[in-house]
Amino acid sequence: MNFSSKLLENAVNEVAQLPGIGKRTALRMVLHLLKQPTTQTHQLATSLTKLVDDIKLCEKCHNISDVAVCEICATPSRNAEIICVVEDVRDVMAIENTSQFKGLYHVLGGKISPIEGIGPHNLTIDSLVEKVKGGTVKEVIFALSSTIEGDTTIFYIHKQVEKFNIKTSTIARGIAVGDELEYADEVTLGRSIINRIPFEKSF
């Protein structure tokens, strides 16, 4: 792809690094931005800069937040005895959209995947175990995708927390095996949370 401007080429190369964006799509997006009012493009650039510079991870659940403790963890009406373990922020958003879960979350930041070089130490499993060790948690719900990596992660965490004599459950398999939570419709995902089953019976 030949560019008449080095600035244009650099911008296209950066946008093309986004997931699912090829060079041609990146070029269309960059040219679209050039056609917009300068203030609009500056607002986009400012928003992205502030996102990178100012975003925080909740010190309690590791969800993305603007402040030290996210809105969910800071809400007194949430049931702190139930922790829903998810892979990332997209899963929190998906479950919250169902309006069926009133407990708290714990965001792992990924799944155990030896092929990708992701081990337990790369995730927030240790802080989850510390929460359970504190004695206030009565149930841990595993809401991870039904993949080999997801099941491996669930099994590993279960072995870490089973000694604390708490209830462990997994969302019902209304979610098809191999599916990602973020793509599940709200009704199916909501029912999966409500109809969760003990982890020991999920094999």
Side-chain angles (χ1 to χ4, degrees):
M1 188 177 290
N2 296 320
F3 294 90
S4 58
S5 163
K6 194 65 178 177
L7 294 174
L8 176 63
E9 182 179 1
N10 290 340
V12 170
N13 288 337
E14 291 302 319
V15 174
Q17 293 184 52
L18 296 172
I21 304 295
K23 281 287 184 69
R24 293 185 183 280
T25 301
L27 177 60
R28 285 198 299 270
M29 295 173 70
V30 171
L31 291 177
H32 171 76
L33 289 174
L34 285 176
K35 293 178 183 178
Q36 302 309 302
T38 302
T39 54
Q40 185 174 333
T41 304
H42 282 169
Q43 286 176 354
L44 172 61
T46 300
S47 295
L48 292 174
T49 300
K50 287 183 66 64
L51 173 70
V52 172
D53 292 343
D54 299 338
I55 201 73
K56 297 176 176 62
L57 292 181
C58 174
E59 60 187 29
K60 291 188 175 182
C61 73
H62 308 287
N63 190 16
I64 289 177
S65 175
D66 293 338
V67 291
V69 177
C70 74
E71 184 178 341
I72 296 175
C73 289
T75 302
S77 60
R78 304 291 295 216
N79 186 355
E81 294 184 346
I82 304 177
I83 302 292
C84 184
V85 179
V86 297
E87 180 182 348
D88 61 31
V89 63
R90 293 171 298 179
D91 300 328
V92 173
M93 295 170 67
I95 294 173
E96 282 297 286
N97 285 337
T98 70
S99 300
Q100 299 295 332
F101 181 67
K102 302 304 179 184
L104 299 179
Y105 295 92
H106 186 91
V107 181
L108 294 174
K111 294 175 289 192
I112 295 174
S113 177
I115 294 178
E116 298 179 12
I118 302 174
H121 62 283
N122 299 118
L123 308 178
T124 62
I125 294 175
D126 287 345
S127 61
L128 173 61
V129 174
E130 287 300 313
K131 280 183 191 176
V132 174
K133 190 185 296 184
T136 58
V137 178
K138 305 301 182 186
E139 179 182 3
V140 170
I141 303 172
F142 297 114
L144 274 65
S145 303
S146 305
T147 60
I148 293 176
E149 292 82 5
D151 289 344
T152 298
T153 305
I154 292 173
F155 183 77
Y156 179 87
I157 296 174
H158 178 260
K159 298 302 289 184
Q160 302 302 306
V161 302
E162 64 178 348
K163 59 187 175 184
F164 299 110
N165 195 30
I166 62 166
K167 180 180 179 182
T168 54
S169 58
T170 183
I171 56 174
R173 296 302 191 185
I175 309 300
V177 173
D179 279 359
E180 300 289 343
L181 290 190
E182 62 178 301
Y183 300 122
D185 66 272
E186 294 174 8
V187 174
T188 299
L189 184 55
R191 287 175 179 169
S192 294
I193 290 289
I194 293 173
N195 299 320
R196 59 187 181 274
I197 58 177
F199 174 70
E200 293 82 359
K201 296 181 180 179
S202 65
F203 295 103

